Amino acid sequence: WDQAATFYRRAIDANPAYPLAHFHIGRIYANQRKYALAIAEFERSLDPTTENTPAYLYALAATHARAGNRQRAVELLRDAKKAAEARRQNELAVSIDRDLATLERNP
């Protein structure tokens, strides 16, 4: 994981506004349970907005949920679902909706 993170950091050094690199570093941190670092990277993946932004929002929401930030996770899941629907990413919207329903059922 550390070697992969090093490569993504190099990519960010070359292009600080590289959402995909921020997203992948966020995934590495989330898998290592370094939620604060993961959240920071996922937030950086949101700008500039791309076709992948709904998935990045979804990952950010999921990490908030894993970190125990349930209310923030719900808010972000709603935003991710709207973004996915706006881009006609129907399968992603269905997945988001399923996770949103689970969080809303289990306060």
Side-chain angles (χ1 to χ4, degrees):
W1 293 116
D2 293 336
Q3 185 178 16
T6 298
F7 288 124
Y8 288 120
R9 280 279 162 227
R10 286 184 192 160
I12 291 168
D13 288 344
N15 180 3
Y18 187 19
L20 185 61
H22 288 289
F23 171 75
H24 283 299
I25 290 175
R27 289 181 60 215
I28 290 168
Y29 288 146
N31 286 326
Q32 294 174 332
R33 295 189 169 117
K34 297 177 182 177
Y35 298 128
L37 293 172
I39 287 167
E41 292 299 336
F42 286 137
E43 286 175 347
R44 288 183 190 107
S45 76
L46 302 177
D47 186 36
T49 300
T50 69
E51 195 66 22
N52 294 322
T53 298
Y56 299 163
L57 274 168
Y58 189 18
L60 176 59
T63 303
H64 271 287
R66 289 172 67 185
N69 306 325
R70 188 192 154 286
Q71 185 56 42
R72 183 66 178 139
V74 168
E75 293 167 4
L76 288 165
L77 284 170
R78 288 179 182 149
D79 292 344
K81 182 181 174 192
K82 287 179 192 173
E85 290 172 339
R87 295 183 183 283
R88 292 184 170 81
Q89 297 173 351
N90 299 327
E91 289 180 36
L92 180 60
V94 168
S95 293
I96 294 167
D97 202 35
R98 186 174 41 248
D99 286 352
L100 183 57
T102 298
L103 276 177
E104 291 176 331
R105 272 195 313 267
N106 301 312

